Amino acid sequence: METGVKETAFPVISEITGDVAVSHRSLLSVFSAMITNPLKVIPPEAFHEPLVVTRDGGKLRVFITDPALIHEALTGNAAVLGKGEDTKRGLGPALGEGLLTADGAHWKWQRQSVAQGFRHEKLLAFLPAMIAAAERTRARWLETAPGAELDIGHEMMHTTFDIIVETMMSGQGEIDVEAVERNITRYLEGSGWNFAMGLLKAPAWLPFPGRAGITGSAGYLRSTLSRVVAERRHASEPRQDLLGLLLSAVDPESGRRMSDEQVVDNLLTFVMAGHETTALGLAWTFHLLAGNPEIEARAVAEIEAVTSGTGTLLPDQVARLVYTRQVFQEAMRLYPPAAIIPRVALADFQLGRHTIPAGAAIYVPIYAVHRHASLWEEPERFDPDRFDPERAKGRHRYAYMPFGAGPRTCIGSAFAMLEAVAILAVLLKGFSLRHIDRRGPRPKLHITLRPDRRLRMTAVQRRSSVLRLDGVTKNRKDASEQ
Ligand code: HEM
């Protein structure tokens, strides 16, 4: 058979069906999944097979769910897997060629430039700011009428945005949080069409629904952060935050520094990648806890025990919140905020006993890996004890990968875990969140995994915290009356 691929000792994947599940579908069905809910692009076989191949419109797509093969692809073959034109088309208007979208040498020096900002001791120093942001959210909730409706997704976005601006830009600039959040959502919601147009190889100028929103939102976000960058360029004192690192970074090969535009690429990358994902993970966690009161009670008991005697959460207590951390890990198993990792094969490469031809689209569908029938017992069940070290012992490292894997693994994973546990501890200590709607939300992929509609909840103050928080409110009132 003529494959257009050079002969190797290994069978070319498009020729074989033996141990590869082949799923047939039309270009139209993929196109329609892209614009309605790209989660549907994952073939159903990926939830129980190790490797699934589909072809649509002549395009070969390879879905890898076997942990050993994922390791081989994302780590062993990282150099021949690029981010691909579709990712660049979808994210490029906002993120340019920043850390998330760049490839090769341009990616490498950007990653090296910011790596020191994510060292363990640096991250621990961020904990007070993380706790303070969670406390501001708790204070907002205290001021709402009992039983008032909260959009929990929005609340979490607000909290994590607060943290990213405080820690990465030293709180610099008068940024309109609501407008930034609105524009990020509008941008991501238009992304499905943008990817679908890429699928049809439509020229970038061709109109499509939501295109004006994408352009407008990208413009708003970039101009907002351009102002922050310009202000910092003119500031007399350099600062040692992420923005400071970007401004002083030097490419070791060319000796170049980043232009303002490149600094904005990266700052926006960190704002988008660094707050939206954690916020969604937290929103899904509150959703799951509301439906599992016994798990919530166990987490609250741990938080009470760890913080007992101090009233409030202290930075050095966060590491002791082991079960609370497991709750967040399990929520990200069921609802991984970055649900699919896409790549494009830049050259033929070997995967297990097969050769994947150059040009194939490669997907690691984290959502399917995390619910895979052969990797997880009762995959649909919310069970934080799966992450008990004893139970997790024999599990393949790549069976669970909410932060990706290999050299492109999430640079902010430890940051995200710290802030998520701190936020959960502060808010669960004070409140229990209850659903308003009977029908649960469904996951919908807009680059990140969002609930298909607003997660409306009420925050009921815990009896155990009423006295303490009443004290906080009273003190605040006394202070404001003075
Ligand atoms: C629960 C929260 C988070 C999740 C689930 C998450 C997930 C991911 C995943 C899966 C990737 C790899 C994408 C790929 O291989 O194509 C990634 C990359 C990245 N993440 Fe995160 N992330 C989270 C939080 C954060 C935070 C807090 C930051 C920054 C403060 C951050 C910044 C980044 C950046 C810059 C990249 C690109 C890294 C590179 O390509 O070198 N993320 N993230």
Side-chain angles (χ1 to χ4, degrees):
M1 186 200 281
E2 177 55 61
T3 60
V5 177
K6 63 177 179 295
E7 290 302 316
T8 66
F10 296 92
V12 176
I13 206 159
S14 53
E15 290 176 358
I16 52 156
T17 53
D19 55 352
V20 179
V22 180
S23 180
H24 297 280
R25 55 196 185 170
S26 64
L27 180 62
L28 187 65
S29 70
V30 177
F31 183 83
S32 127
M34 288 277 191
I35 55 179
T36 51
N37 183 359
L39 205 56
K40 295 189 216 152
V41 171
I42 303 176
E45 294 85 349
F47 291 82
H48 50 83
E49 297 290 342
L51 192 59
V52 183
V53 171
T54 68
R55 248 187 205 287
D56 51 77
K59 181 85 185 172
L60 182 72
R61 298 179 198 278
V62 181
F63 294 81
I64 314 171
T65 52
D66 175 71
L69 293 180
I70 295 173
H71 178 225
E72 212 178 308
L74 291 185
T75 305
N77 287 290
V80 289
L81 296 183
K83 288 280 178 158
E85 276 316 303
D86 290 352
T87 298
K88 289 181 183 162
R89 183 174 178 141
L91 291 174
L95 308 185
E97 276 220 75
L99 187 55
L100 189 70
T101 39
D103 276 321
H106 189 50
W107 162 74
K108 199 167 176 193
W109 84 276
Q110 296 187 84
R111 176 106 186 184
Q112 284 165 350
S113 305
V114 292
Q116 53 166 300
F118 290 85
R119 286 212 202 104
H120 185 63
E121 67 281 4
K122 280 258 182 200
L123 299 183
L124 290 183
F126 289 150
L127 262 172
M130 292 170 173
I131 294 172
E135 287 174 341
R136 284 193 288 279
T137 298
R138 185 184 63 191
R140 270 201 317 278
W141 291 2
L142 268 177
E143 275 157 17
T144 61
E149 176 183 321
L150 294 174
D151 174 346
I152 202 68
H154 170 78
E155 291 295 320
M156 292 304 101
M157 294 283 176
H158 196 122
T159 313
T160 56
F161 187 80
D162 219 359
I163 293 173
I164 208 84
V165 172
E166 203 54 50
T167 56
M168 302 279 129
M169 307 178 228
S170 307
Q172 192 177 338
E174 292 295 308
I175 299 178
D176 180 345
V177 182
E178 308 286 329
V180 168
E181 191 200 317
R182 233 182 5 258
N183 279 286
I184 289 180
T185 302
R186 195 161 64 136
Y187 184 85
L188 295 178
E189 281 180 357
S191 62
W193 264 100
N194 209 1
F195 281 114
M197 297 304 277
L199 192 72
L200 297 182
K201 305 221 174 338
W205 51 262
L206 206 71
F208 57 84
R211 188 191 150 98
I214 287 182
T215 315
S217 294
Y220 176 85
L221 293 166
R222 291 190 66 89
S223 67
T224 301
L225 290 182
S226 297
R227 274 202 307 279
V228 174
V229 173
E231 274 168 33
R232 184 66 79 83
R233 281 254 193 241
H234 295 112
S236 44
E237 291 279 298
R239 291 201 197 138
Q240 285 305 308
D241 54 11
L242 176 89
L243 180 49
L245 286 177
L246 293 170
L247 288 169
S248 60
V250 181
D251 181 349
E253 274 177 25
S254 65
R256 268 182 317 141
R257 288 179 179 273
M258 285 189 203
S259 65
D260 277 9
E261 204 173 353
Q262 288 172 324
V263 175
V264 171
D265 288 352
N266 278 299
L267 204 52
L268 192 48
T269 295
F270 278 91
V271 167
M272 267 168 96
H275 93 283
E276 226 252 334
T277 42
T278 318
L280 289 171
L282 285 164
W284 286 115
T285 305
F286 281 115
H287 159 66
L288 288 163
L289 287 178
N292 293 274
E294 65 302 337
I295 293 175
E296 181 182 339
R298 236 178 105 184
V300 173
E302 177 187 74
I303 295 162
E304 284 297 343
V306 168
T307 60
S308 77
T310 51
T312 178
L313 177 70
L314 301 176
D316 62 2
Q317 293 170 337
V318 173
R320 283 158 47 210
L321 295 166
V322 178
Y323 186 71
T324 310
R325 187 182 163 91
Q326 287 175 208
V327 167
F328 186 64
Q329 286 174 306
E330 173 68 345
M332 287 201 297
R333 182 185 67 82
L334 285 169
Y335 299 105
I340 302 181
I341 295 185
R343 295 284 189 274
V344 169
L346 304 174
D348 296 358
F349 74 99
Q350 193 188 318
L351 185 70
R353 299 185 306 104
H354 316 296
T355 298
I356 310 285
I362 312 294
Y363 301 94
V364 177
I366 302 179
Y367 184 82
V369 176
H370 286 184
R371 293 172 183 243
H372 202 280
S374 66
L375 299 174
W376 304 92
E377 241 172 69
E378 292 185 80
E380 305 297 317
R381 195 157 74 86
F382 178 53
D383 175 13
D385 280 327
R386 294 178 203 275
F387 291 94
D388 180 288
E390 272 308 303
R391 262 182 77 183
K393 243 181 195 167
R395 190 177 300 142
H396 195 292
R397 145 90 181 80
Y398 287 71
Y400 179 71
M401 41 175 311
F403 296 109
R408 303 301 298 252
T409 191
C410 177
I411 197 169
S413 58
F415 180 104
M417 289 308 297
L418 279 180
E419 71 173 325
V421 174
I423 292 169
L424 282 174
V426 169
L427 296 178
L428 282 174
K429 189 172 161 77
F431 296 94
S432 170
L433 288 162
R434 294 288 156 251
H435 284 126
I436 291 178
D437 298 314
R438 274 171 170 270
R439 188 170 82 78
R442 299 217 173 89
K444 190 167 180 178
L445 194 62
H446 287 300
I447 298 183
T448 46
L449 196 67
R450 296 172 158 241
D452 63 348
R453 56 210 156 78
R454 290 190 310 133
L455 252 180
R456 302 185 319 133
M457 301 183 99
T458 52
V460 181
Q461 205 178 332
R462 285 187 201 286
R463 285 177 69 85
S464 57
S465 78
V466 168
L467 268 178
R468 259 194 323 266
L469 294 179
D470 273 359
V472 174
T473 317
K474 184 172 175 302
N475 290 344
R476 219 184 10 252
K477 277 204 179 120
D478 289 350
S480 66
E481 279 160 14
Q482 276 167 15

